[in-house]
Amino acid sequence: MWAREPDPRDLNGRERSTYLHAVKTISVRYVPKTPAFAPARAGYKSGPLAPPLIHPPSRIPPTLSRHAAAADAMESSAVVVPGTTAPLLPYAYAALPSSADDARENQSSGGGVRWRACAAVLAASAVVVLVVVALFAGGRVDVGPAGEVSAAASVPAAKMEMPRSRGKDFGVSEKASLAYSADGGFPWSNAMLQWQHTGFHFQPLKHYMNDPNGPVYYGGWYHLFYQHNPYGDSWANISWGHAVSKDMVNWRHLPVALVPDQWYDINGVLTGSITVLPDGRVILLYTGNTDTFAQVQCLAVPADPSDPLLRSWIKHPANPILLPPPGIGLKDFRDPLTAWFEHSDNTWRIIIGSKDDDGHAGIILSYKTTDFVNYELMPGTMHRGPDGTGMYECLDIFPVGGNSSEMLGGDSSPEVLFVLKESANDEWHDYYALGRFDAAANAWTPQDPEADLGIGLRYDWGKYYASKSFYDPTKNRRIVWAYVGETDSEQADKAKGWASLMSIPRTVELDKKTRTNLIQWPVEEIDTLRKNATDLGGITVEAGSVVHLPLQQGAQLDIEASFRLNSSDVDALNEADVGFNCSSSAGAAMRGALGPFGLLVFADGRHEQTAAYFYVSKGLDGSLLTHFCHDESRSTRAKDVVNRVVGGTVPVLDGETFSVRVLVDHSIVQSFVMGGRTTVTSRAYPTEAIYAAAGVYLFNNATSATIVAEGLVVYEMASAESRAFLADDM
């Protein structure tokens, strides 16, 4: 015991580890006798660390003692069919209630015949205008024997109460779905669960995944590491999964890269980054979740730097290399960023996210190093967010607007702005802000204080979190990954044997027309999956109508659409429409003068649909404000799924049409609006609008405006390759 509360910086490696264990019996957090937030004294340098205290095997939980065989688990998970090189999909589904009933329903002459009759009639005539009111109010559209269309009204379903998250006390991550059911949940059939597996989004061969970690281009391969449970379908045993690709589309899965097998990471090898030094050395930094659940920073290096696949790693004997400084909670110190070289003082810089409890504000701590083992905490903070922003995690910073997005330190050029990004742990949204960065002064300043980090711009307005970018030297571009969690129940995740997806990788650059927002767009390599284009441009959709699109399938699509409002309808509107907000609105069922209008996907024309749409409102001064929303409220009949209406505003400049690109892939919908100025991501779990019943419609639920889909091209998307790495892949 210490006679006084010690400063961890004054302890050697063994004393630090002993101290971290001791504080577990006192408090989950070390609070020194200083103000609520007092950054460590400037100029402090961490000294050499003694070899870490490794607890005997008896201290390692039994569920984690199997990690030594993690690599073998990956190798054995892929079953190769004799005579081929492609393994069978390793996930399997146990029989669930009502699968036979669902199969009979899908094959019956009820909904199936109605849908096929509707498709045949509409395909023959190209487009047929349907009455839309009942469809959006929760009614049903039926097609009679002669092809007549009738709409039956029904009472809208009551809003589902949001269940409470179970959290880590139940062995579930805070980032897990909020939806769970104590009574077993919806009786998913095998056919429903199998349909949810995506065709061209990255996901592990099986089991749970969350944050992307250390994306990097190295040895001729794009590497993607990610938070992964190799043994189950919810948050536990958190390791670093690993896959490689030549194009970020087709993936080869490798053995688990890092496992929690030391006292300093026994409760999880958490999020981190990879830095490739000019001499080719590779540095991996990550947050270790210790046996007391304190967060410390750790270092690993490749066991064989000549291996382009980076298959094996060595944890540095000096780990942990960084402990939370005084004034920082032991559980509020995580996610070291890729390092950059600062020429003003010839040091490498990293930043780490935290929070100031005085005001509950996110803060950014900066460190400098010359060897990645010894670090100096820089004075103050790089940035302190507005009060209420909470814990900043999964930080990112990079330049935009200049000749390169490679992070090379500060830049005072007038055309260069610096993106500062954080993942808001309180609400699970990814925010960004544009500003100036003075590396010598260790200060980032927002361009617009009203859009400071955590209160303004978002990477995505839907289900999108823990994003991580990297610089791609092969094409001089900045690419961002993020994980898209499940919004169904945990019981469903266990039944299907996997949980979470990665978003489509996106290029990120400054919108040079506005200079107030980013442009995010799917990497060009995704276009190689396009096939069978259908051009349906020129369709007019009257107010209160829907139009079915005659497509071969609705499960894997890339849709590019541009809409024009009738200018006379806009000019004739005299009433202002203020206060609209996607999340507080009635969704696609809400009717305004100039919207909503857009697309329905995963739509069966009866019960289920996911809407992606514009809503245009006129202000008191006559100006137009454009919103883009996703309405998930009718995406499924299952009641234990979190369904929301999400979205935000998007700039539309003079002369621009309302444009959107929508990627549809089984259980995920991603929209890139106005060339990528705004993006929205949703998960969807239809129970009826699947396989042949997954239709696509145009709709216009405005009360007094006609829209024209001037451009409408729909591409079918081929499935990407996703399998275990084989020797032939070299």
Side-chain angles (χ1 to χ4, degrees):
M1 294 293 293
W2 288 268
R4 60 178 177 84
E5 290 175 318
D7 186 333
R9 299 168 302 174
D10 298 329
L11 308 179
N12 62 34
R14 185 176 296 274
E15 290 172 337
R16 291 185 196 196
S17 64
T18 305
Y19 170 74
L20 285 172
H21 288 291
V23 296
K24 180 181 179 182
T25 64
I26 303 171
S27 171
V28 296
R29 181 178 167 202
Y30 166 57
V31 182
K33 295 177 180 178
T34 56
F37 171 66
R41 57 183 180 269
Y44 160 70
K45 296 184 178 181
S46 62
L49 296 174
L53 175 63
I54 307 300
H55 296 296
S58 60
R59 291 294 305 278
I60 300 176
T63 56
L64 297 175
S65 63
R66 300 168 296 175
H67 280 291
D72 293 336
M74 172 60 72
E75 296 292 347
S76 63
S77 66
V79 180
V80 180
V81 178
T84 73
T85 57
L88 297 172
L89 291 175
Y91 50 86
Y93 304 93
L96 295 178
S98 78
S99 61
D101 295 338
D102 281 293
R104 283 195 295 271
E105 182 180 343
N106 288 336
Q107 296 172 4
S108 69
S109 60
V113 169
R114 285 197 299 270
W115 185 90
R116 288 192 296 272
C118 180
V121 171
L122 295 180
S125 60
V127 291
V128 172
V129 177
L130 306 176
V131 178
V132 76
V133 178
L135 181 64
F136 286 99
R140 185 182 71 250
V141 175
D142 292 322
V143 180
E148 69 274 13
V149 178
S150 62
S154 66
V155 179
K159 205 166 195 177
M160 187 184 86
E161 182 179 354
M162 187 74 73
R164 179 179 58 84
S165 174
R166 292 201 289 177
K168 282 188 178 177
D169 290 343
F170 292 85
V172 178
S173 170
E174 295 93 341
K175 298 174 184 177
S177 167
L178 293 177
Y180 67 94
S181 175
D183 60 4
F186 184 82
W188 299 95
S189 70
N190 290 342
M192 295 174 190
L193 294 177
Q194 290 178 11
W195 191 82
Q196 293 174 14
H197 197 280
T198 60
F200 56 90
H201 282 73
F202 178 88
Q203 57 187 108
L205 292 176
K206 57 182 178 179
H207 296 322
Y208 176 86
M209 172 183 70
N210 56 284
D211 306 11
N213 295 153
V216 68
Y217 183 80
Y218 181 81
W221 293 90
Y222 291 102
H223 293 254
L224 178 61
F225 300 86
Y226 53 90
Q227 300 280 273
H228 181 45
N229 178 0
Y231 305 116
D233 310 309
S234 61
W235 194 97
N237 309 311
I238 293 301
S239 310
W240 274 35
H242 185 197
V244 293
S245 174
K246 290 291 186 179
D247 56 10
M248 290 180 290
V249 175
N250 302 289
W251 290 92
R252 304 291 183 261
H253 297 266
L254 292 166
V256 172
L258 292 172
V259 299
D261 57 3
Q262 306 297 318
W263 71 266
Y264 51 78
D265 61 15
I266 198 67
N267 281 305
V269 180
L270 303 184
T271 296
S273 62
I274 288 179
T275 303
V276 180
L277 305 186
D279 61 6
R281 286 182 296 157
V282 179
I283 300 296
L284 187 157
L285 298 174
Y286 70 92
T287 297
N289 208 15
T290 73
D291 55 356
T292 64
F293 292 94
Q295 294 172 356
V296 297
Q297 310 314 314
C298 306
L299 168 65
V301 296
D304 179 6
S306 66
D307 178 11
L309 298 178
L310 298 174
R311 284 171 285 195
S312 181
W313 296 83
I314 298 173
K315 296 177 183 179
H316 200 281
N319 283 337
I321 54 172
L322 278 173
L323 304 179
I328 298 299
L330 293 181
K331 298 174 73 174
D332 302 327
F333 182 64
R334 57 184 175 270
D335 309 336
L337 181 63
T338 302
W340 72 89
F341 190 75
E342 179 50 50
H343 292 276
S344 64
D345 60 3
N346 293 322
T347 63
W348 289 92
R349 302 281 182 88
I350 65 168
I351 58 177
I352 296 173
S354 189
K355 68 176 179 179
D356 177 358
D357 283 338
D358 183 10
H360 194 62
I363 59 173
I364 299 175
L365 305 176
S366 300
Y367 289 85
K368 60 172 64 176
T369 183
T370 57
D371 59 7
F372 292 93
V373 176
N374 301 284
Y375 292 80
E376 179 183 340
L377 178 63
M378 300 186 69
T381 61
M382 176 191 285
H383 185 65
R384 182 191 189 277
D387 285 356
T389 48
M391 175 73 193
Y392 280 174
E393 62 178 1
C394 302
L395 292 170
D396 210 348
I397 186 171
F398 54 88
V400 291
N403 296 323
S404 174
S405 63
E406 184 177 11
M407 185 62 183
L408 299 172
D411 191 326
S412 59
S413 304
E415 71 274 10
V416 175
L417 293 172
F418 281 82
V419 177
L420 189 60
K421 171 265 164 185
E422 62 101 5
S423 296
N425 184 238
D426 283 1
E427 56 183 87
W428 305 341
H429 292 136
D430 275 20
Y431 286 91
Y432 76 91
L434 298 172
R436 303 289 180 180
F437 177 50
D438 184 340
N442 184 37
W444 178 92
T445 306
Q447 176 179 243
D448 177 7
E450 297 299 315
D452 200 350
L453 186 62
I455 61 172
L457 300 166
R458 290 189 196 174
Y459 266 7
D460 194 288
W461 287 90
K463 189 70 175 176
Y464 182 97
Y465 196 67
S467 58
K468 174 70 174 173
S469 77
F470 74 103
Y471 174 70
D472 178 8
T474 67
K475 295 187 177 181
N476 187 28
R477 58 184 176 175
R478 174 69 54 167
I479 297 171
V480 62
W481 287 96
Y483 99 97
V484 182
E486 304 296 323
T487 60
D488 61 353
S489 68
E490 291 161 18
Q491 288 85 344
D493 295 344
K494 292 177 181 178
K496 65 192 179 189
W498 57 271
S500 303
L501 313 169
M502 286 295 171
S503 67
I504 290 296
R506 309 170 176 183
T507 56
V508 186
E509 58 187 36
L510 181 67
D511 184 348
K512 295 187 177 180
K513 291 182 179 180
T514 66
R515 289 189 63 85
T516 58
N517 57 269
L518 294 176
I519 293 289
Q520 299 177 75
W521 199 249
V523 294
E524 62 186 15
E525 289 85 344
I526 294 296
D527 296 355
T528 62
L529 297 177
R530 288 175 165 180
K531 61 179 184 178
N532 300 335
T534 302
D535 191 336
L536 298 169
I539 297 176
T540 298
V541 188
E542 302 293 339
S545 301
V546 296
V547 177
H548 179 264
L549 302 183
L551 305 174
Q552 294 298 312
Q553 55 93 0
Q556 295 180 200
L557 300 173
D558 186 350
I559 305 171
E560 292 189 336
S562 59
F563 302 96
R564 178 175 52 81
L565 280 169
N566 190 314
S567 59
S568 61
D569 294 336
V570 177
D571 295 339
L573 182 62
N574 295 319
E575 296 182 1
D577 181 4
V578 297
F580 177 84
N581 181 284
C582 290
S583 60
S584 61
S585 73
M590 178 178 181
R591 304 197 70 186
L594 303 178
F597 60 87
L599 292 154
L600 303 177
V601 298
F602 302 144
D604 64 354
R606 301 183 298 153
H607 303 115
E608 295 179 334
Q609 64 192 31
T610 300
Y613 58 92
F614 291 93
Y615 186 97
V616 182
S617 58
K618 200 167 190 177
L620 295 173
D621 60 356
S623 62
L624 298 181
L625 183 63
T626 302
H627 306 257
F628 190 86
C629 318
H630 278 190
D631 182 356
E632 308 161 356
S633 63
R634 294 192 59 211
S635 62
T636 180
R637 289 191 300 124
K639 301 303 181 185
D640 53 351
V641 170
V642 176
N643 292 326
R644 306 169 298 167
V645 181
V646 295
T649 59
V650 57
V652 179
L653 307 184
D654 289 343
E656 294 181 336
T657 58
F658 301 97
S659 63
V660 63
R661 180 179 181 183
V662 182
L663 296 177
V664 177
D665 191 7
H666 290 274
S667 59
I668 184 172
V669 181
Q670 292 194 272
S671 294
F672 299 82
V673 192
M674 299 306 300
R677 289 180 185 142
T678 288
T679 67
V680 187
T681 298
S682 289
R683 299 301 304 274
Y685 308 92
T687 63
E688 295 181 349
I690 57 178
Y691 299 104
V696 180
Y697 295 79
L698 293 179
F699 81 93
N700 176 13
N701 213 17
T703 59
S704 58
T706 297
I707 65 162
V708 179
E710 291 186 329
L712 180 59
V713 180
V714 183
Y715 301 91
E716 294 182 16
M717 294 290 278
S719 293
E721 291 185 1
S722 179
R723 58 172 175 81
F725 192 93
L726 303 173
D728 292 344
D729 292 322
M730 289 295 288

